[in-house]
Amino acid sequence: MKNIPKIVLSGGPGGGKSKSLKRLIVALKKYGYTVYPVFEAAEQILNNGFDRSVSVYEFQKNIALNQIEQEKLLENLINENEKAVIICDRGLMDARVYLNDDDFKNFKNELGLTDIDLRDRYDAVFHLDSTSNHDSVEYLMEGIRIEAENEARDINERSLRAWCGNPHYRFIPVQDSFEEKFALLFKEVKSFLGIPKPLEIERKFLIEYPDTDFLLTLPCSKSEIFQAYLINDNGRFRLRKRGENGHFIYIKTEKHKISETVREEIETRLSEDEYDSLMNSGVITGSISKERYCLMYDGVYYEIDIFPFWKKQAFLEVELTDEDEKIKIPEFIKVIREVTFDPRYKNSRLCNNIPKEDL
């Protein structure tokens, strides 16, 4: 399958998504990237005269159909060897923001899509926080937006929840100016694209077993993960299957250590057939299964991994854009100790040698 990175700019009204997309087209060109934009389908449909008050459900369905066609067209036209990225002003999972539970279930059934299809078709999602959330910043109304300030706050919160679970989800807070906010977004986008290098900067903590029921009351999503470590004629790599209810995405990862907290990381999306082929291509040195809770809290995206062999403890991981970045741990998470620098707690080691629980 083609590996063209696909990004979503999401968030509530007045977050600066449309303006940021236009700026990214120019800014990334300086780094040799061609940006293929998918402009907001809702605005296009409304500009064509659609009355969304007739049926919210039909409106969201038409938005999704329009976006699917735009994405498919770009994916087919872009040369896979081209240094390109697709950036969408909102994505398919944004339908969850506007539909109740029953309508969203019907929406997925009618389109033949799952939560994984809607959310994880995108390689990264950047939530641009709405100015409606901050009294010190004027609520910005762009384009043909009609949401009142309190409605915009609600949309912003529901959007934050809808995208939890995406493998690369980042929060871009409101700043005093658009220029400052765009600078934060651009830093995160460059980090995701691997400019200048595809680095993974990560800290890992051993924590007390969390209250998973409580976590799921927050902007949080649970995924099942199976990963295997292989060696074949081309070297060492990891294969990961991630999803829920029998629906998965498949990723090949190659890592090269730079320091204890920094690794060069190259990820490749795979089809199920490519995944199966690679699983049979070499020697499996180990495998492991876990449940991952992806939590967006206070502007930070946390990954909490729970393993079947531990009953009292788990991992909390945080990816950073800078080694010196300060880490805030949620007050409801009880840290036992940091294990970033302890090789015994690497997933590849846990496959074959499980340390006893500390508690």
Side-chain angles (χ1 to χ4, degrees), residues 71-84:
E71 290 178 19
K72 189 182 298 183
L73 177 64
L74 291 177
E75 288 164 357
N76 288 337
L77 290 177
I78 298 172
N79 186 317
E80 63 181 334
N81 296 317
E82 185 178 357
K83 194 174 180 182

Side-chain angles (χ1 to χ4, degrees), residues 317-330:
E317 298 180 1
V318 187
E319 286 195 18
L320 311 171
T321 56
D322 191 305
E323 281 190 271
D324 298 324
E325 190 176 333
K326 292 183 179 180
I327 298 174
K328 301 177 291 182
I329 304 293

Side-chain angles (χ1 to χ4, degrees), residues 14-17 20 127-131 172-186:
K17 296 179 293 298
S20 293
H127 178 101
L128 280 71
D129 200 24
S130 173
T131 50
I172 311 299
V174 170
Q175 301 293 305
D176 291 335
S177 70
F178 171 76
E179 293 301 323
E180 292 173 281
K181 188 175 187 180
F182 181 77
L184 292 179
L185 170 64
F186 193 43

Side-chain angles (χ1 to χ4, degrees), residues 23-35 83 186:
R23 284 285 299 275
L24 285 170
I25 294 171
V26 176
L28 285 172
K29 187 176 181 180
K30 296 177 182 178
Y31 292 88
Y33 275 89
T34 301
V35 175
K83 194 174 180 182
F186 193 43

Side-chain angles (χ1 to χ4, degrees), residues 116 119-120 165-167 221-229 238-251 253 267 275 287-294 301 303-309 317 347:
I116 302 299
R119 184 190 67 210
D120 295 345
N166 181 275
S221 177
K222 182 176 79 170
S223 298
E224 305 160 16
I225 292 178
F226 169 81
Q227 56 195 46
Y229 299 86
R238 184 189 73 195
L239 292 180
R240 171 177 284 175
K241 179 170 70 171
R242 171 179 175 151
E244 56 190 74
N245 302 320
H247 301 279
F248 300 97
I249 60 170
Y250 305 91
I251 300 172
T253 304
E267 290 192 341
Y275 170 85
S287 64
I288 198 166
S289 296
K290 57 188 176 182
E291 290 182 344
R292 171 164 288 178
Y293 289 78
C294 294
Y301 200 44
E303 295 177 336
I304 299 171
D305 286 349
I306 292 176
F307 300 89
F309 45 77
E317 298 180 1
N347 278 247

Side-chain angles (χ1 to χ4, degrees), residues 34-284:
T34 301
V35 175
Y36 290 88
V38 177
F39 294 108
E40 188 179 15
E43 186 166 346
Q44 296 176 41
I45 292 171
L46 288 172
N47 283 332
N48 288 336
F50 186 91
D51 182 3
R52 68 174 171 181
S53 65
V54 174
S55 170
V56 173
Y57 179 86
E58 287 299 321
F59 183 55
Q60 291 302 321
K61 187 179 76 172
N62 277 278
I63 289 173
L65 292 171
N66 180 296
Q67 177 128 12
I68 289 169
E69 285 305 310
Q70 289 191 67
E71 290 178 19
K72 189 182 298 183
L73 177 64
L74 291 177
E75 288 164 357
N76 288 337
L77 290 177
I78 298 172
N79 186 317
E80 63 181 334
N81 296 317
E82 185 178 357
K83 194 174 180 182
V85 57
I86 296 171
I87 304 182
C88 307
D89 185 346
R90 295 190 181 273
L92 295 186
M93 196 61 175
D94 278 299
R96 184 70 185 94
V97 176
Y98 300 94
L99 299 174
N100 61 38
D101 291 347
D102 288 340
D103 281 347
F104 186 59
K105 183 177 179 180
N106 291 335
F107 170 87
K108 291 187 290 185
N109 288 339
E110 192 168 350
L111 294 179
L113 300 174
T114 68
D115 285 350
I116 302 299
D117 297 325
L118 297 172
R119 184 190 67 210
D120 295 345
R121 67 195 292 115
Y122 307 102
D123 300 287
V125 178
F126 299 96
H127 178 101
L128 280 71
D129 200 24
S130 173
T131 50
S132 64
N133 271 357
H134 300 265
D135 295 334
S136 60
V137 179
E138 183 181 357
Y139 172 43
L140 301 175
M141 297 290 285
E142 299 178 344
I144 56 174
R145 288 286 169 210
I146 61 172
E147 296 90 352
E149 194 164 345
N150 61 339
E151 185 182 4
R153 288 194 188 100
D154 186 44
I155 292 171
N156 188 69
E157 174 64 20
R158 282 183 280 163
S159 173
L160 196 65
R161 289 176 176 270
W163 287 100
C164 270
N166 181 275
H168 192 101
Y169 190 27
R170 297 293 181 267
F171 180 86
I172 311 299
V174 170
Q175 301 293 305
D176 291 335
S177 70
F178 171 76
E179 293 301 323
E180 292 173 281
K181 188 175 187 180
F182 181 77
L184 292 179
L185 170 64
F186 193 43
K187 181 180 179 181
E188 290 284 0
V189 170
K190 286 194 296 180
S191 176
F192 165 71
L193 290 175
I195 300 172
K197 284 186 176 182
L199 301 180
E200 178 193 52
I201 306 173
E202 185 178 81
R203 300 276 293 278
K204 180 184 288 189
F205 299 86
L206 194 66
I207 63 171
E208 293 182 13
Y209 199 98
D211 182 344
T212 54
D213 290 336
F214 171 72
L215 290 178
L216 293 174
T217 68
L218 304 170
C220 182
S221 177
K222 182 176 79 170
S223 298
E224 305 160 16
I225 292 178
F226 169 81
Q227 56 195 46
Y229 299 86
L230 289 88
I231 301 175
N232 66 13
D233 293 340
N234 296 315
R236 298 175 180 269
F237 57 93
R238 184 189 73 195
L239 292 180
R240 171 177 284 175
K241 179 170 70 171
R242 171 179 175 151
E244 56 190 74
N245 302 320
H247 301 279
F248 300 97
I249 60 170
Y250 305 91
I251 300 172
K252 176 188 176 185
T253 304
E254 298 172 88
K255 295 186 180 185
H256 306 285
K257 181 178 176 180
I258 295 175
S259 71
E260 291 301 327
T261 56
V262 182
R263 288 173 293 276
E264 184 175 6
E265 179 179 82
I266 301 172
E267 290 192 341
T268 307
R269 285 277 187 128
L270 305 171
S271 67
E272 185 175 1
D273 287 343
E274 288 171 332
Y275 170 85
D276 290 338
S277 177
L278 279 173
M279 282 291 288
N280 295 312
S281 70
V283 177
I284 297 176

